[in-house]
């Protein structure tokens, strides 16, 4: 009869374990029965022989897995019981052992993990199951794989502007892209991505036609402005011009008041 109804000894034992465990009121037992721990009041707990045991007085949520052959990492959010939070990017190696994990989380605040290797493995099973994959963009401008133009604060795909969220993530089609330049992880960092942060898309208060923009540049900068606009237009089609004779001239504008000769 057990064979016919596919009742196994393991299933019976599991049900017996469930019956013996008493979880605190208001706790969803799904995490405990699936992963071996549960979350309550901003902390993780496991149940041992002596009852509930605190694993960590903070919670961690993996927002995105940044896939890369050379520098894979995870964007994680840490929340302490005191109400403080931290967003950071952790190399995937940080989850490989208890020591590296504790070093990574403790380096950004009072996030003390009191669990053992088994607790970390159980936590990883939950976190990795819920994470979303993303592709990191290392250089700004045209991104061939996604067929869009990337700025520090978003991407321009087709005729649509898609801003990045507070974590630097942009969703386009069925894929997620990570722009670290304007992410809150590095937003207040004065040493990381200094130049890239300047390459931002700022919508105009009113539409400006190309003809009006070129006239304004000419009015402000005179002949140098005309040369600058011409060089800008040539740079847009650099790949086409380069194919003509294998070179593309660099811009050099000599100040009319200067007596210095252009460098060779």
């Amino acid at each position: 009869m057990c064979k016919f109804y596919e009742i196994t000894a393991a299933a019976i034992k599991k049900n017996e374990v469930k019956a013996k465990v008493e979880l605190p009121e208001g706790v969803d037992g799904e995490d405990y029965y699936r992963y071996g721990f549960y979350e309550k009041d901003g902390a993780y707990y496991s149940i041992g022989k002596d009852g509930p045991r605190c694993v960590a007085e903070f919670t961690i949520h993996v927002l995105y897995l940044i896939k890369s052959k050379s520098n894979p990492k995870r964007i994680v959010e840490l929340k302490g019981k005191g109400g403080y939070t931290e967003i950071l990017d952790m190399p995937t190696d940080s989850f490989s052992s208890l020591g590296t994990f504790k070093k990574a989380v403790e380096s950004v605040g009072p996030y003390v993990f009191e669990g053992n290797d088994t607790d970390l493995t159980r936590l990883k099973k939950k976190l990795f199951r819920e994470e979303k994959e993303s592709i990191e963009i290392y250089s700004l401008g045209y991104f061939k794989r996604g067929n869009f133009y990337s700025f520090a604060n978003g991407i321009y795909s087709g005729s649509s502007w898609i801003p990045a969220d507070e974590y630097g993530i942009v969703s386009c089609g069925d894929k997620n892209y990570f722009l670290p330049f304007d992410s809150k992880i590095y937003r207040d960092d004065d040493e990381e991505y200094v130049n890239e942060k300047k390459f931002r898309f700022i919508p105009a208060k009113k539409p400006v036609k190309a003809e009006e923009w070129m006239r304004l540049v000419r009015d402000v900068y005179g002949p140098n402005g005309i040369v600058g606009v011409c060089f800008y237009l040539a740079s847009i089609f650099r790949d086409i011009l380069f194919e003509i004779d294998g070179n593309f001239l660099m811009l050099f504008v000599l100040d009319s008041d200067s007596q210095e000769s252009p460098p060779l």
Side-chain angles (χ1 to χ4, degrees):
M1 184 179 294
C2 289
K3 184 177 180 181
F4 179 80
Y5 287 102
E6 297 182 351
I7 299 176
T8 62
I12 296 174
K13 184 178 181 180
K14 184 177 180 180
N15 290 331
E16 290 177 352
V17 173
K18 287 184 179 182
K20 293 178 181 179
V21 174
E22 294 184 3
L23 297 176
E25 184 178 354
V27 172
D28 185 359
E30 182 66 25
D31 279 348
Y32 179 78
Y33 295 128
R34 176 176 292 183
Y35 305 110
F37 67 93
Y38 62 88
E39 179 182 337
K40 180 177 174 58
D41 298 330
Y44 292 130
Y45 293 88
S46 180
I47 298 180
K49 295 180 179 179
D50 300 326
R53 174 175 59 88
C54 182
V55 175
E57 292 190 341
F58 66 91
T59 60
I60 179 171
H61 177 48
V62 177
L63 302 172
Y64 294 94
L65 167 64
I66 311 300
K67 301 185 70 175
S68 170
K69 292 183 178 180
S70 58
N71 186 29
K73 52 192 172 184
R74 287 182 166 89
I75 306 300
V76 303
E77 180 182 48
L78 303 176
K79 288 186 177 182
K81 292 188 66 175
Y84 43 84
T85 62
E86 189 76 28
I87 304 294
L88 68 156
D89 54 348
M90 295 174 58
T92 53
D93 290 346
S94 299
F95 291 87
S96 60
S97 68
L98 181 62
T100 55
F101 176 76
K102 295 177 68 173
K103 181 179 179 180
V105 297
E106 292 175 6
S107 66
V108 295
Y111 303 98
V112 180
F113 188 78
E114 304 175 55
N116 51 35
D117 289 295
T118 301
D119 295 320
L120 178 60
T121 300
R122 292 171 175 173
L123 180 61
K124 288 194 296 184
K125 288 181 178 180
K126 173 179 170 60
L127 297 179
F128 297 172
R129 184 187 183 92
E130 299 173 351
E131 67 187 9
K132 299 179 181 178
E133 294 184 357
S134 182
I135 301 172
E136 183 170 4
I137 296 179
Y138 294 95
S139 58
L140 300 177
Y142 181 64
F143 187 69
K144 186 175 181 180
R145 289 172 56 189
N147 192 27
F148 57 73
Y149 285 87
S150 58
F151 294 78
N153 57 333
I155 65 174
Y156 201 86
S157 177
S159 58
S160 302
W161 166 249
I162 308 176
D165 64 15
E166 59 180 332
Y167 307 112
I169 300 294
V170 177
S171 296
C172 183
D174 59 347
K175 296 184 181 299
N176 298 310
Y177 299 92
F178 176 51
L179 294 165
F181 321 106
D182 195 51
S183 170
K184 64 188 303 183
I185 302 173
Y186 301 104
R187 189 171 297 163
D188 298 327
D189 194 325
D190 297 329
E191 297 181 358
E192 292 287 342
Y193 306 115
V194 176
N195 294 322
E196 289 85 349
K197 290 177 181 178
K198 301 175 183 177
F199 194 70
R200 300 172 55 85
F201 177 78
I202 303 176
K205 295 182 179 180
K206 65 176 184 178
V208 179
K209 294 183 178 180
E211 181 180 357
E212 181 182 0
W213 173 76
M214 288 186 284
R215 179 180 59 79
L216 292 173
V217 173
R218 181 202 61 189
D219 293 344
V220 173
Y221 298 101
N224 285 351
I226 297 176
V227 175
V229 169
C230 293
F231 184 76
Y232 170 74
L233 296 175
S235 299
I236 295 177
F237 303 100
R238 178 184 179 277
D239 56 332
I240 299 176
L241 298 176
F242 191 86
E243 290 179 355
I244 297 176
D245 59 0
N247 66 75
F248 185 80
L249 298 178
M250 297 300 296
L251 177 65
F252 182 86
V253 179
L254 182 64
D255 188 346
S256 59
D257 297 331
S258 176
Q259 301 300 321
E260 297 180 0
S261 300
L264 298 177

